Amino acid sequence: MSIPKTLQIFLPQGTPSGIRIAELTTRIVQAVACPRTGLDELFQRHESKHVATYFLLGGSDGDAKPEAYIGQTEDLVGRLKSHDANKEFWHTVVFWISRTHSFTQAHIRWLEWKSIAAAKEANRYNITNGNGGSEPFATEAMLADLDEIYETGSILLEALGHPLFRPFVERKAKGGSPDGETEWFLRGPDASAKGIYTSDGFVVFADSSCRKEVVPSAQGTFVTNKREQLLASGILKDDGNHLIFTEDTPFNSPSGAAMVVLGRTANGWLEWKNSNGVQIDQIRKKAEQEGLYE
């Protein structure tokens, strides 16, 4: 069970669109977020003089997923100046530092390795790093500290709007069902899909199949545009008879998911049903009647 925590976010420029410094009040780790347009101001602050593990975050409008690059450095100012000159995709940097200046090269190298491995496993972002390499050596005592630092940094990174390490679907075991979540099913002509409704929207599971053809009335709409984007990114693949999801994929709503699966316009609140054939909309209305939703 998660333990309640107190999060503090300081806005040194007085605006949430500028530099943000996040910390849990009982721990020494800080996560500093800065827009790319605010690097000059960041470089004037003492936080930029720490050794750090950092995350470049962004992507283009045509990407099916956001992109991230993960690194570590003892010269944050110099490294960010280099990335500003040579990497186009990013619009935000977040970096982890120690308020007590206790991070060493060993700390940040291990945190970089752990972050690359965890981000690739979660598969929310396209990680532009190459191979993350093998785990750097750390003593048993240091590993205990590093696990806590990584946990804290993960919380802060997500609190700043970047859930880099959290998969869309938490499963009990690899290939198993989500823990405590209602599964929803959708079937149509040459289509069979399964998913869940989460805080990220509606997530369609990997191996779900879509009708390959799009009906004429849906040509040139969200349906074809979204499919083209997913095909280009490899999230959908053509097996000859269907389009197959290669990974768990989030949509903003059940309707968006249903339209891509069925190849036509659709009301996902009515199309997705549980194992008893009950629509999401019916479950929602029942919950409203019982006072579970305001």
Side-chain angles (χ1 to χ4, degrees):
M1 182 178 178
S2 297
I3 300 172
K5 302 170 180 66
T6 300
L7 172 72
Q8 175 177 290
I9 298 179
F10 174 55
L11 308 176
Q13 297 167 302
T15 171
S17 63
I19 297 169
R20 292 169 291 159
I21 304 171
E23 61 185 74
L24 299 181
T25 53
T26 58
R27 302 187 187 181
I28 66 169
V29 180
Q30 291 181 315
V32 182
C34 179
R36 188 169 183 169
T37 55
L39 291 180
D40 287 343
E41 291 82 0
L42 175 67
F43 296 157
Q44 302 305 310
R45 296 190 58 81
H46 68 87
E47 290 88 1
S48 68
K49 310 306 187 289
H50 288 242
V51 298
T53 299
Y54 64 90
F55 308 83
L56 303 181
L57 303 154
S60 68
D61 293 333
D63 292 336
K65 294 180 184 178
E67 292 188 349
Y69 177 87
I70 302 169
Q72 51 80 22
T73 183
E74 295 180 89
D75 178 14
L76 187 63
V77 172
R79 187 65 60 84
L80 290 181
K81 285 182 177 179
S82 175
H83 288 320
D84 189 34
N86 297 302
K87 281 184 166 53
E88 294 185 2
F89 77 90
W90 64 284
H91 55 66
T92 300
V93 60
V94 179
F95 55 93
W96 295 342
I97 59 174
S98 164
R99 287 192 291 110
T100 58
H101 288 267
S102 57
F103 284 0
T104 66
Q105 178 68 21
H107 286 92
I108 61 175
R109 286 183 64 242
W110 188 92
L111 291 169
E112 176 194 39
W113 166 82
K114 175 67 174 179
S115 297
I116 292 171
K120 287 185 174 181
E121 182 176 358
N123 202 26
R124 277 179 170 263
Y125 289 63
N126 285 324
I127 306 304
T128 62
N129 298 74
N131 191 324
S134 57
E135 180 176 358
F137 173 78
T139 65
E140 183 178 3
M142 181 178 282
L143 281 174
D145 290 339
L146 286 166
D147 283 335
E148 181 175 315
I149 292 168
Y150 170 76
E151 177 198 20
T152 303
S154 301
I155 292 169
L156 298 176
L157 190 63
E158 184 161 354
L160 290 168
H162 309 288
L164 197 64
F165 309 127
R166 179 167 56 83
F168 289 115
V169 180
E170 297 281 359
R171 288 186 167 86
K172 294 178 182 177
K174 187 174 178 62
S177 298
D179 191 2
E181 297 284 355
T182 299
E183 294 185 341
W184 302 97
F185 303 85
L186 176 60
R187 293 180 176 85
D190 297 318
S192 179
K194 182 166 65 173
I196 59 172
Y197 196 34
T198 75
S199 58
D200 294 300
F202 195 93
V203 179
V204 178
F205 290 171
D207 297 325
S208 294
S209 63
C210 305
R211 180 183 181 182
K212 188 173 179 179
E213 297 79 15
V214 174
V215 300
S217 61
Q219 294 288 342
T221 66
F222 164 83
V223 179
T224 52
N225 294 336
K226 186 66 175 179
R227 282 183 169 211
E228 288 171 2
Q229 183 187 64
L230 296 174
L231 283 165
S233 66
I235 293 173
L236 279 180
K237 69 175 182 180
D238 187 342
D239 73 351
N241 298 313
H242 311 86
L243 300 181
I244 307 296
F245 283 93
T246 62
E247 58 190 68
D248 298 333
T249 305
F251 290 83
N252 290 332
S253 70
S255 294
M259 287 190 280
V260 168
V261 170
L262 297 174
R264 60 173 173 80
T265 57
N267 183 340
W269 298 99
L270 305 180
E271 300 279 3
W272 291 97
K273 300 175 183 178
N274 65 15
S275 58
N276 296 317
V278 182
Q279 301 163 333
I280 297 181
D281 194 53
Q282 290 178 277
I283 299 295
R284 183 175 61 169
K285 287 178 178 176
K286 184 175 184 294
E288 289 173 348
Q289 291 170 357
E290 293 175 352
L292 296 182
Y293 295 134
E294 294 296 334

